[in-house]
Amino acid sequence: MSVIPDLSSLHAMGAAQQPFYPDRGAVDAAVARLRTVPPLVFAGECDELKEKIAAVARGEAFLLQGGDCAETFAGVTADNVRNKLRVLLQMAVVLTYAASVPVVKVGRLAGQYAKPRSSDLETREGVTLPAYRGDAVNGFAFTPESRIPDPQRLVDVYNSSAATLNLVRAFVTGGYADLRQVHSWNTDFVKESSVGQRYEALAEEIERALTFMQAIGADPDEFHRVDFHSCHEALILEYEHALTRIDSRTEEPYDVSGHFVWIGERTRQLDGAHVELLSRIRNPIGVKLGPTTTPDDALALAAKLNPANEPGRLTFITRFGAGRIRDGLPHLVEKVAASGIEVAWVCDPMHGNTFEASSGYKTRRFDDVIEEVQGFFDVHRAIGTWPGGVHVELTGDDVTECVGGGEDLLEMDLGHRYESVCDPRLNRVQSLELSFLVAEMLRKA
Ligand code: PEP
Ligand code: MN
């Protein structure tokens, strides 16, 4: 049985990217509260997802992971959650139908509230304050009061995540995710864009296939509901530790704050607290691997995080950037594959492609995103490994945060509707376009 170190031992190991809380008593109170709250997810659900990711690792399924860079408390509304879910379901339908591959659907939601930052401080017009670290830690407003880390926010993360998951669970089991709805997910959208029309044509084909299936008497459960799971970066030790519980079936620890949790590019130190904590839990987990990752780093992470080489346990999420993936990824994949390590390879085509537009907005080019995914497919195809999935920052709304795509959003359009409090997300049209392009790559894979 795996033993979880106590919180202070974890901190003593060294934990990058943690907030400095001025009021220790308030931290203890928040953690004590979080230790008593019910789980957000069940260990058995985490095991089911692990089985599905094992199929991804074997090359039999494709993982679609997506959602906001940073969720916000204010963003927990019925419209917002539904729109995010809807675009993910539409993308999954495109991938499943156009590429005939089972799609494992995981929302970057119900816990994605804490952000690692490249700088501890932010300066605006000569004023320097602590950086915003996500609603889990401090406020986005640029005032000294708002930027003070407040541990009560961790309890708010739990409550907001519970509300989000409650809605998601109702949507995916209560008829909204029924395949008969493929058309209705698109009704407000079809006339507005060419990708909407392309989706409509696909939805018609699906509808015909469903009618045929029903006519011959086949109407399986799978037509009426979907499996949907949650994921987030496990960043703030107080939160993840308090929500790590012993599963009564197996007596093993699970982090019940989400089904899948990952370690970010900035917190994957082999001897650090995040790797230690995630090595002890039994959830399916991921690690982000950026362009500085050596093959030995990847092997050492796999040895520590998945010593039994359990299929579905470990996902490597690579985020190299469009210009680096074709040179940087092959030696990593070759060495991991040669070592017989069971891993699902997933492409995050967002975090290596961020730049600042002349207007000052942080943005990404749609073409760079696609080019990184194409590079990922080409590298895996050349080596004979399976390009197992994509991990994207997206929203179901018509925001203007990434440039390019079929609507050809320009840098000068960014200010029109830029709502992300952290990284730029693909909007609904761009997300759907991505899914059609990835479906084509999958068909050839
Ligand atoms: C993220 O996923 O929002 C993130 C910060 O990614 P990375 O750790 O890869 O930089
Ligand atoms: Mn991000």
Side-chain angles (χ1 to χ4, degrees):
M1 195 187 105
S2 183
V3 177
I4 300 290
D6 64 31
L7 189 55
S8 53
S9 320
L10 269 183
H11 274 293
M13 299 188 69
Q17 297 284 340
Q18 300 304 290
F20 174 74
Y21 291 115
D23 182 351
R24 292 307 307 173
V27 176
D28 294 344
V31 170
R33 173 75 192 122
L34 286 172
R35 290 201 192 288
T36 67
V37 297
L40 290 170
V41 302
F42 292 119
E45 297 171 338
C46 300
D47 288 344
E48 281 166 24
L49 178 59
K50 210 182 327 182
E51 288 292 314
K52 292 188 157 74
I53 296 178
V56 172
R58 288 195 302 270
E60 296 163 7
F62 192 75
L63 181 69
L64 172 64
Q65 223 171 5
D68 296 309
C69 175
E71 292 179 279
T72 62
F73 298 149
V76 184
T77 65
D79 280 355
N80 191 0
V81 174
R82 188 206 50 228
N83 290 354
K84 226 175 336 192
L85 187 66
R86 184 177 58 185
V87 73
L88 284 165
L89 292 176
Q90 285 190 291
M91 292 171 78
V93 158
V94 169
L95 288 165
T96 312
Y97 193 77
S100 305
V101 176
V103 174
V104 182
K105 296 164 276 291
V106 183
R108 222 181 118 113
L109 47 74
Q112 182 52 27
Y113 289 95
K115 298 310 302 171
R117 300 317 301 249
S118 38
S119 168
D120 283 341
L121 299 170
E122 181 183 347
T123 300
R124 288 191 203 171
E125 290 162 10
V127 180
T128 298
L129 293 175
Y132 171 65
R133 291 186 168 273
D135 275 13
V137 174
N138 55 2
F140 186 62
F142 193 71
T143 65
E145 305 73 44
S146 138
R147 291 293 170 95
I148 297 170
D150 176 1
Q152 173 60 32
R153 285 175 169 273
L154 298 175
V155 179
D156 299 339
V157 169
Y158 172 82
N159 289 327
S160 299
S161 300
T164 302
L165 262 187
N166 184 50
L167 204 54
V168 167
R169 288 185 193 276
F171 276 133
V172 298
T173 55
Y176 188 75
D178 193 310
L179 265 183
R180 288 270 169 198
Q181 303 286 328
V182 282
H183 274 294
S184 69
W185 297 335
N186 205 43
T187 42
D188 58 325
F189 193 46
V190 58
K191 290 174 214 73
E192 288 166 25
S193 68
S194 63
V195 73
Q197 285 159 16
R198 192 169 174 195
Y199 176 86
E200 195 59 19
L202 184 129
E204 265 158 34
E205 278 183 47
I206 293 175
E207 193 127 306
R208 261 202 305 278
L210 288 177
T211 307
F212 168 73
M213 296 293 280
Q214 249 164 5
I216 61 168
D219 191 22
D221 219 26
E222 285 73 14
F223 288 179
H224 303 292
R225 57 166 184 83
V226 295
D227 284 339
F228 195 89
H229 295 92
S230 66
C231 73
H232 64 270
E233 177 174 352
L235 185 66
I236 307 296
L237 294 180
E238 277 72 15
Y239 185 74
E240 306 302 338
H241 191 271
L243 282 158
T244 295
R245 307 286 172 74
I246 304 298
D247 169 33
S248 57
R249 303 166 313 157
T250 58
E251 299 197 349
E252 292 287 352
Y254 284 75
D255 182 346
V256 294
S257 69
H259 296 110
F260 176 105
V261 284
W262 78 85
I263 302 170
E265 165 73 356
R266 295 166 189 78
T267 48
R268 60 175 168 79
Q269 299 78 15
L270 197 57
D271 53 357
H274 295 88
V275 169
E276 181 66 27
L277 178 60
L278 267 63
S279 77
R280 306 291 182 112
I281 59 171
R282 304 303 313 140
N283 305 54
I285 60 169
V287 188
K288 293 283 201 92
L289 301 178
T292 60
T293 316
T294 66
D296 286 342
D297 292 339
L299 296 186
L301 281 164
K304 168 101 186 168
L305 293 168
N306 192 17
N309 211 15
E310 180 190 2
R313 156 75 175 160
L314 184 61
T315 299
F316 279 152
I317 307 166
T318 58
R319 29 88 85 219
F320 276 61
R324 290 165 120 164
I325 184 155
R326 288 170 191 278
D327 285 339
L329 187 60
H331 64 302
L332 211 61
V333 175
E334 277 160 8
K335 191 133 182 210
V336 168
S339 314
I341 288 171
E342 299 271 359
V343 68
W345 290 101
V346 168
C347 175
D348 164 356
M350 314 300 293
H351 288 89
N353 295 313
T354 317
F355 69 98
E356 197 175 302
S358 50
S359 52
Y361 286 106
K362 231 205 253 187
T363 190
R364 292 161 174 153
R365 285 188 198 92
F366 183 77
D367 285 353
D368 290 342
V369 170
I370 299 304
E371 170 55 23
E372 177 153 2
V373 181
Q374 185 66 63
F376 172 80
F377 270 78
D378 291 347
V379 167
H380 282 287
R381 200 176 300 144
I383 296 172
T385 44
W386 173 243
V390 288
H391 179 122
V392 278
E393 290 184 339
L394 57 78
T395 163
D397 299 316
D398 301 324
V399 300
T400 56
E401 299 173 3
C402 293
V403 293
E407 295 186 313
D408 204 20
L409 210 91
L410 303 173
E411 286 197 22
M412 66 186 201
D413 300 326
L414 291 174
H416 181 63
R417 189 171 168 193
Y418 195 103
E419 294 177 1
S420 177
V421 291
C422 196
D423 292 335
R425 303 160 296 176
L426 299 179
N427 63 24
R428 187 173 173 201
V429 170
Q430 292 165 332
S431 301
L432 214 48
E433 282 175 350
L434 171 89
S435 68
F436 276 108
L437 291 168
V438 173
E440 268 164 37
M441 296 178 205
L442 264 172
R443 260 201 301 261
K444 294 184 202 139

